[in-house]
Amino acid sequence: MTPDLPPVAPSVTAELVEALSPRLRKRLDAGVTKLVARPAVREGDTVRIAVDDETDVVLHAPGGTVTGADAIRCGCLLAPDCLHRAAAASAAPVADEAPPPSPAPAEAAEAGEGTEPVPGTGPAAQPDRTGPAETETATAEQRAAARTVRDAAAAVLEAGADGAGAVLQAGLLHAAHTARLAGLPRASAAAVSVVTGVRAARSADPGYRLADLAGALADVLGVAHRLPHATGPDLTELRGTARQPYRPDGSLRLYGLFSEPVLTATGYAGAVTWTADADGRLYTVSDVAPGGPARATGAADRAVRIGDTALTHRELSRAGLAVSGATVSPTGRLGAGAGVRAVRASGAAWHAEPLDRLWAVPAAEQVARALNGGQDLLFLEVTLTGTVRETTGDCLLADCAGLPLRLATAHDDPSLPHRDNLRLLAAARGSRLRIVARLVPEPLPRALLLAVEHPTDPAARVDLGLDRLRHADLPAGAVAPPAEAAPTADEVPLHLLRRRVHQAVSGGRRVLASAGSVSGDAVRLRRLGLATAGDLLDDLHAAAADRSRDAFGRLLPADTDHFARAWLAAAVYTDAVERALCAGGWRAATTGTPSSEPSSATLARG
């Protein structure tokens, strides 16, 4: 997706795609790919895309958002039912739709409603009281909308992110719009999050995380599955509350934290620089485009794409930035629109305010924040204690407030200095350093090492994916210790189930249907006390391979609902066990006492 296009309401994309003929729908993905490669020119509230020398697609976005199908116009001969309008809507970011109209003032007063947002706003949210007066259930319209969302999300899971093209995305956006009108803002927002995640996966967005997309799919399928049978407080929670997206105040004072390279398997590369404001909120500036390892390492020395500043990513990671007219995405990415102004400002050391406060937050609290859907970066003070040998390579061992912590490389590509830097840091055994790492939600405390305080100069920092440490940077006499064998007795092999859950999200049913026998994995899970995990793994593969044939031997349409239910059960179970074990393990870092979390066997049987 091109950042030059304005956000488009889900209902608009769904309407334009639905109007296409079956022949044009088959060509939609190719049309989107072609369109995003064309230049987009913004003139006030209008964005113009040159499809060719004679044809333009024009998007009119008053207030910054395209809210109607007639606001996207095309000059080709097939317009208005042409491919170009649907492609433009499918390539643009998904807008947050406003909540449906509230009841009239007199009706609201009679119902005792105030001005605060209420769950399930709109006429369709009125309760369907089929039992006692105090029992509230979902309305018939809400049950139908939940089913629509569930079917559309199951179709996306069936295809996987790799196969969920613009037509399936539009189907889920249509379902999101239906849910919003039915007074189900949570289901609507979750469905839009899935579409955004699928688009990020297909466009190699540097902010894309497979685990995030899996979580969004589990959320939307879980809400749609539970809502028709929910009552009382559970129903209120599942309906959700309409909310407006976060809006910045127009000016930001930012301090550079670190930069990390981006190198994807789909041919995109670049860099992302992380910054923080005086309150500790994190913001990113990215530069990612088609390319390979050379671009990933070279992007650090390119100027950041925000305002007129000439700062490079490497410079910004240690300097500061004053931004006016700032635009910020929900994930904290800074926009680079024509109205944004930015100038260089002074930075701050990690031990100085305001950055110092990031490391003042207890580790367990940071982990809890990440596990509850917040930022997954961890700001820790650790003492390096050695290295441990794993199947994927050596990783650092560190002590974090009494907790043994494993620090792995964020990227194993040999063109990036991650691995070499980790080997050198192993020689700084006994050094107490501040680090920035990305949480890996596993039973054993683990994180991906991104940046570290310089081993001999506390005022300096090292971006481990871009900077190269030298022996001269290490303490005098530093020698790397031999790697220890990784302990296995206390590890819970949930990855055997988790990787299948993630494979389905990425590649769809066909990946699991062709994965072959996994009886060995299921046996291993049961042997180590995870009997439920073994059963779920068997059920997931059975559902993926379940294809019936008619009397002539032809494959019948797949049961997407059966596969979605099996996948959802595996995803919910894996998430619950991993969160409990991960949170319990990190909690010991601040309490200094063994975790009181239940054992893996107890979780498996509970």
Side-chain angles (χ1 to χ4, degrees):
M1 276 70 69
T2 169
D4 296 323
L5 296 183
V8 176
S11 57
V12 174
T13 304
E15 178 181 345
L16 292 176
V17 173
E18 188 175 356
L20 293 177
S21 66
R23 179 180 65 86
L24 290 180
R25 288 191 184 189
K26 294 179 180 179
R27 296 170 51 191
L28 182 55
D29 287 334
V32 172
T33 301
K34 180 179 178 181
L35 194 73
V36 297
R38 303 297 298 173
V41 179
R42 182 181 295 272
E43 299 174 355
D45 292 335
T46 300
V47 175
R48 187 179 302 274
I49 308 171
V51 177
D52 52 41
D53 294 339
E54 299 179 353
T55 305
D56 289 344
V57 176
V58 179
L59 294 84
H60 184 53
T65 302
V66 176
T67 57
D70 57 352
I72 302 180
R73 302 186 299 274
C74 181
C76 74
L77 296 177
L78 295 179
D81 297 327
C82 64
L83 182 69
H84 304 131
R85 298 174 70 218
S90 300
V94 182
D96 289 305
E97 289 190 295
S102 300
E107 297 171 347
E110 183 178 351
E113 295 176 352
T115 57
E116 294 295 323
V118 293
T121 54
Q126 297 301 317
D128 179 12
R129 303 185 185 278
T130 57
E134 70 274 9
T135 302
E136 182 181 2
T137 62
T139 67
E141 184 178 1
Q142 288 175 338
R143 291 193 291 269
R147 182 67 194 186
T148 300
V149 170
R150 184 176 171 183
D151 290 345
V156 170
L157 177 64
E158 175 87 9
D162 295 341
V167 173
L168 285 179
Q169 294 170 29
L172 189 50
L173 290 178
H174 173 75
H177 180 64
T178 301
R180 184 185 68 86
L181 294 179
L184 302 177
R186 178 176 172 183
S188 177
V192 170
S193 294
V194 171
V195 174
T196 301
V198 168
R199 290 183 177 183
R202 294 172 63 87
S203 64
D205 190 302
Y208 168 70
R209 298 286 184 273
L210 177 58
D212 293 342
L213 178 54
L217 263 172
D219 187 28
V220 70
L221 286 171
V223 169
H225 174 77
R226 294 166 53 201
L227 190 139
H229 315 287
T231 60
D234 288 341
L235 177 61
T236 300
E237 177 189 356
L238 292 171
R239 280 174 174 164
T241 302
R243 60 180 177 84
Q244 294 297 322
Y246 169 75
R247 302 293 183 186
D249 60 9
S251 61
L252 296 170
R253 176 64 170 91
L254 305 175
Y255 301 84
L257 275 168
F258 72 99
S259 293
E260 62 175 319
V262 174
L263 183 59
T264 73
T266 52
Y268 285 76
V272 174
T273 298
W274 292 80
T275 65
D277 67 7
D279 295 323
R281 290 188 295 264
L282 301 181
Y283 301 84
T284 60
V285 181
S286 63
D287 178 6
V288 178
R295 194 181 194 285
T297 55
D301 297 312
R302 295 174 180 269
V304 297
R305 297 178 178 178
I306 178 169
D308 298 325
T309 179
L311 278 173
T312 65
H313 283 269
R314 193 185 303 276
E315 292 171 336
L316 177 57
S317 68
R318 292 160 175 81
L321 203 64
V323 186
S324 62
T327 57
V328 185
S329 77
T331 59
R333 179 179 301 177
L334 292 171
V340 179
R341 298 290 182 267
V343 296
R344 180 171 186 159
S346 59
W350 282 0
H351 286 273
E353 288 293 342
L355 299 184
D356 180 66
R357 67 184 61 185
L358 295 172
W359 280 266
V361 180
E365 186 176 328
Q366 296 186 51
V367 170
R369 176 188 63 201
L371 293 177
N372 289 326
Q375 183 52 248
D376 62 356
L377 292 186
L378 303 178
F379 302 89
L380 308 173
E381 289 196 15
V382 303
T383 300
L384 303 183
T385 59
T387 56
V388 64
R389 184 176 297 109
E390 298 181 335
T391 56
T392 56
D394 293 351
C395 68
L396 280 176
L397 286 178
D399 178 273
C400 178
L403 179 77
L405 171 64
R406 298 186 186 189
L407 298 171
T409 57
H411 209 299
D412 285 324
D413 192 284
S415 63
L416 300 176
H418 283 291
R419 181 65 62 185
D420 293 339
N421 285 335
L422 185 140
R423 292 194 185 100
L424 280 174
L425 282 173
R429 185 174 186 175
S431 298
R432 184 165 183 79
L433 305 172
R434 285 191 168 185
I435 66 170
V436 181
R438 179 167 285 119
L439 175 68
V440 179
E442 293 184 355
L444 290 176
R446 183 183 184 88
L448 304 180
L449 195 56
L450 302 173
V452 63
E453 179 184 326
H454 195 282
T456 57
D457 183 4
R461 66 194 71 162
V462 180
D463 296 338
L464 295 176
L466 299 172
D467 303 326
R468 286 193 179 273
L469 281 169
R470 307 296 179 187
H471 283 285
D473 297 319
L474 302 178
V479 178
E484 304 173 6
T488 58
D490 296 330
E491 292 188 15
V492 182
L494 281 173
H495 65 276
L496 298 176
L497 180 59
R498 180 183 62 245
R499 70 182 179 187
R500 299 304 184 188
V501 169
H502 285 182
Q503 282 178 341
V505 174
S506 180
R509 173 204 288 264
R510 64 185 182 278
V511 173
L512 298 188
S514 60
S517 174
V518 293
S519 59
D521 289 345
V523 168
R524 182 183 175 192
L525 288 167
R526 294 188 182 97
R527 185 175 67 246
L528 294 177
L530 297 175
T532 302
D535 293 344
L536 290 172
L537 182 58
D538 286 341
D539 291 346
L540 181 59
H541 279 273
D546 183 16
R547 295 294 303 274
S548 301
R549 296 180 181 272
D550 61 16
F552 299 97
R554 295 171 299 191
L555 281 174
L556 295 173
D559 187 349
T560 59
D561 186 62
H562 179 206
F563 179 65
R565 282 187 282 110
W567 180 88
L568 179 61
V572 170
Y573 170 88
T574 304
D575 182 69
V577 174
E578 286 186 339
R579 285 173 182 269
L581 294 174
C582 181
W586 281 89
R587 190 174 298 119
T590 55
T591 63
T593 59
S595 170
S596 60
E597 292 293 330
S599 67
S600 61
T602 301
L603 286 166
R605 298 187 177 94

